[in-house]
Amino acid sequence: MRVALLYCDTRAVQRGGVTDHFPDQDPEAVVPAVDTLRRLGLEVEPIGVTFANLEALPRDLGGCDFAFNLCDGTGVDGTVGAGAPALLQQIGIPFAGCSADPYLLSSDKAKVRRVLLAAGIPVPEGWVFGSEDRLEGLTPPWPVIVKPREGYGSLGIDHRSVVRHPAKLAPAICRARRAGDGDVL
């Protein structure tokens, strides 16, 4: 069986400094996955996906029976995000991972909260902060977790994201805003 292993090739993406915690998806990062699939007897074609080569992906996938889609990102951060599963759906190649619609929904944490609440699923209290929002009078149950509203995985989240004291809230919001380039949850 011939399978494609798609990953975001981020080598040409310029964003912030070398310590900006941008996902390390490049040819070297996927070697363990490629090796494992080959040990299982699969013929594996690793393909680094960028916006520049997304259009050529149908040609590159010719003869593939299945795709392992490891592409992630927001689409605005220089990575293809939902573009990979959308294209796989369009050309009809079966793939691992979610389709484009849930992918797009899940990249907005505030929207996911609203959908879960509407479905009757309990979620913790939450607030969305824009750049001009004020914190005066906010008395959440401590501790709180501060994270970028949009994004994927744990981008923008570290040990400082767990805030136990009101004086640490504003700095945590600023860090999360810089990490996610937008609103903060």
Side-chain angles (χ1 to χ4, degrees):
M1 175 182 255
R2 185 164 184 261
V3 299
L5 186 125
L6 307 182
Y7 63 93
C8 291
D9 187 345
T10 59
R11 291 175 295 176
V13 176
Q14 298 297 315
R15 178 174 185 238
V18 291
T19 60
D20 65 3
H21 305 293
F22 198 67
D24 295 322
Q25 290 197 28
D26 54 38
E28 295 77 33
V30 298
V31 167
V34 170
D35 290 346
T36 299
L37 293 170
R38 287 183 176 152
R39 278 194 304 273
L40 293 171
L42 299 172
E43 181 184 337
V44 182
E45 177 70 30
I47 301 173
V49 182
T50 66
F51 282 114
N53 70 1
L54 189 59
E55 192 174 295
L57 196 56
R59 181 199 67 225
D60 295 341
L61 291 170
C64 284
D65 302 301
F66 188 82
F68 286 95
N69 178 32
L70 302 181
C71 293
D72 58 10
T74 63
V76 296
D77 62 4
T79 59
V80 295
L87 186 63
L88 290 167
Q89 285 173 251
Q90 181 182 10
I91 61 178
I93 292 183
F95 62 96
C98 69
S99 63
D101 290 340
Y103 185 103
L104 290 169
L105 170 66
S106 68
S107 67
D108 183 334
K109 295 170 185 74
K111 192 180 290 185
V112 168
R113 279 187 90 260
R114 287 193 304 274
V115 169
L116 292 173
L117 282 169
I121 299 170
V123 297
E125 284 186 77
W127 298 268
V128 175
F129 292 96
S131 60
E132 284 80 36
D133 291 336
R134 303 237 185 258
L135 302 176
E136 294 88 21
L138 179 67
T139 56
W142 301 97
V144 299
I145 297 176
V146 178
K147 54 190 170 182
R149 174 184 176 166
E150 294 184 1
Y152 53 95
S154 298
L155 187 66
I157 300 173
D158 63 21
H159 68 283
R160 298 169 299 173
S161 301
V162 178
V163 180
R164 293 180 166 79
H165 189 274
K168 303 280 186 177
L169 185 57
I173 289 173
C174 287
R175 277 192 306 278
R177 185 172 289 116
R178 282 193 305 272
D181 295 331
D183 291 347
V184 172
L185 182 67

